[in-house]
Amino acid sequence: MALIPNPDFDLFTLSEEHEMLRAAVRALAEDKIAPRAAEIDETGEFPWDVYEALRANGFHAIHIPEQFGGEGGDALAACLVIEEVARVCTSSSLIPAVNKLGTTPLIVGADDDLLGRYLPQVASGEAMFSYALSEREAGSDAAAMKTRAAAGDGGWVLNGQKSWITNAGISKYYTVMAVTDPSAGPRGISAFVVHHDDPGFSLGTPERKLGIHGSPTREILFEDCWIPADRIVGEPGTGFQTAMRTLDHTRVTIGAQALGIAQGALDAAVAYAKERKQFGKSIASFQGVQFLIADMAMKVETARALTYAAAARSERQDADLTFFGAAAKCYASDIAMEVTTDAVQVFGGAGYVRDHPVERYMRDAKITQIYEGTNQIQRMVMARQLLR
């Protein structure tokens, strides 16, 4: 019998609005960001021109709800923006990714007053927002943090430090987790909004990193840093829960970032294989290269399906989001590392030098296996969800 097309079966088809968004972001990325990507990596300077281009088009923080002046983009829209920007420049993709990471604790845990004070500033582009959970001795074991917030004088006094803070020194605001009750374990941690100009707040030396050079990473330090009482996110003691709920959602966006890196490397490898000639013909005609590229593409599409499935669960706030958020981040970032490594192999010696972008993709891919929880931690998260 003949197969009959079923136009209503669109489980794995993006909506027209999402496809239009992807096309718009890709056009902007190729026009404004791709020509700057190598320079951004070389100089290590934050790309303010890219930020302005993203802001002018509403792509710098597409997730902010319309009631706070934002675009009201859903979880998949945020992933598409990050994916398409990361496809040409990972550093630039951290602009929308970190804005989402920094503000999601407010979205999931703050009252309307706090949301109304800060989200419109991010939506307009007036301010960026970073997230501060990890410390020197409390990375994977975030609950072991030492930063302390002591109540007093109608507010809180912060002392301590946070490590590996993305876009530190660029962001105007920081969501900071600190211990408010040392006797209560994770239930003694609270979340606060800290301003870049709060007395007692300072920045550490910029980190010298393998990749993502155009996104500054620094410690942030608190020395008797006084925070007004109305800047606590939710109730005291809910900060760790807020931090974990945040990561359930934002790990999906790291999956999207890794997916974009992998797609960019695949695109570059395919184009190079068609052009590069050896033994009198293009290397794309060699079965060994064909197998390599086929495997790369298969892995990218698998990562895409998982990441988009996780984005749908993030939007619906499904009960299994914790598993899918960890899975998308873990799988897509592992694939990004594999695909970028293989892309360098397709380029051969040319892939090992900075004349071509694949070595940058490879360096940038590594961090996606580490931040927002190492992939070893993601596997623990997934296993606990399955075995509980």
Side-chain angles (χ1 to χ4, degrees), residues 262-279:
Q263 184 67 64
L266 172 61
D267 293 346
V270 168
Y272 185 81
K274 291 178 179 179
E275 296 173 359
R276 172 67 168 166
K277 287 184 169 51
Q278 291 285 274
F279 306 102

Side-chain angles (χ1 to χ4, degrees), residues 261-317:
I261 295 169
Q263 184 67 64
L266 172 61
D267 293 346
V270 168
Y272 185 81
K274 291 178 179 179
E275 296 173 359
R276 172 67 168 166
K277 287 184 169 51
Q278 291 285 274
F279 306 102
K281 53 187 176 180
S282 73
I283 64 171
S285 65
F286 299 140
Q287 190 179 67
V289 174
Q290 292 174 359
F291 282 7
L292 197 60
I293 288 175
D295 283 343
M296 292 162 68
M298 180 168 55
K299 292 171 183 177
V300 169
E301 292 303 331
T302 306
R304 178 170 287 114
L306 179 56
T307 299
Y308 290 3
R313 284 166 169 80
S314 173
E315 185 64 23
R316 296 191 302 257
Q317 300 189 49

Side-chain angles (χ1 to χ4, degrees), residues 33 46-47 50-51 54 59-61 81-83 85-87 89-102 128-130 164-168 170-171 209 211-217 250 253-254 257-258 261 364 367-368 371-372:
I33 305 176
F46 182 82
V50 172
Y51 177 74
L54 292 170
F59 299 150
H60 66 298
V81 170
I82 292 164
E83 176 190 345
V85 177
R87 179 176 165 268
C89 179
T90 311
S91 293
S92 296
S93 73
L94 282 161
I95 293 170
V98 174
N99 269 336
K100 180 165 184 176
L101 176 60
M128 282 183 274
F129 230 109
S130 288
W164 309 298
I165 308 305
T166 307
N167 286 351
I170 300 296
S171 291
K209 299 172 298 185
I212 56 168
H213 291 162
S215 175
T217 304
T250 59
T253 64
I254 299 304
Q257 182 186 60
I261 295 169
D364 287 345
I367 191 60
T368 64
Y371 56 18
E372 295 204 29

Side-chain angles (χ1 to χ4, degrees), residues 355-374:
D355 296 343
H356 299 279
V358 288
E359 63 85 29
R360 168 166 50 85
Y361 285 124
M362 184 178 174
R363 287 186 287 107
D364 287 345
K366 185 59 193 176
I367 191 60
T368 64
Q369 294 182 304
I370 298 172
Y371 56 18
E372 295 204 29
T374 66

Side-chain angles (χ1 to χ4, degrees), residues 116-154:
R117 270 189 277 161
Y118 293 106
L119 295 192
Q121 296 184 60
V122 179
S124 69
E126 177 186 343
M128 282 183 274
F129 230 109
S130 288
Y131 179 84
L133 175 64
S134 295
E135 299 177 2
R136 296 184 194 120
E137 304 301 326
S140 295
D141 185 11
M145 67 180 65
K146 301 298 183 185
T147 296
R148 178 77 189 276
D153 297 326

Side-chain angles (χ1 to χ4, degrees), residues 156 176-180 186 188-192 232-233 235-240:
W156 302 84
V176 176
M177 311 298 164
V179 176
T180 50
I189 294 171
S190 303
F192 301 88
I232 191 170
V233 179
E235 297 297 320
T238 62
F240 193 75

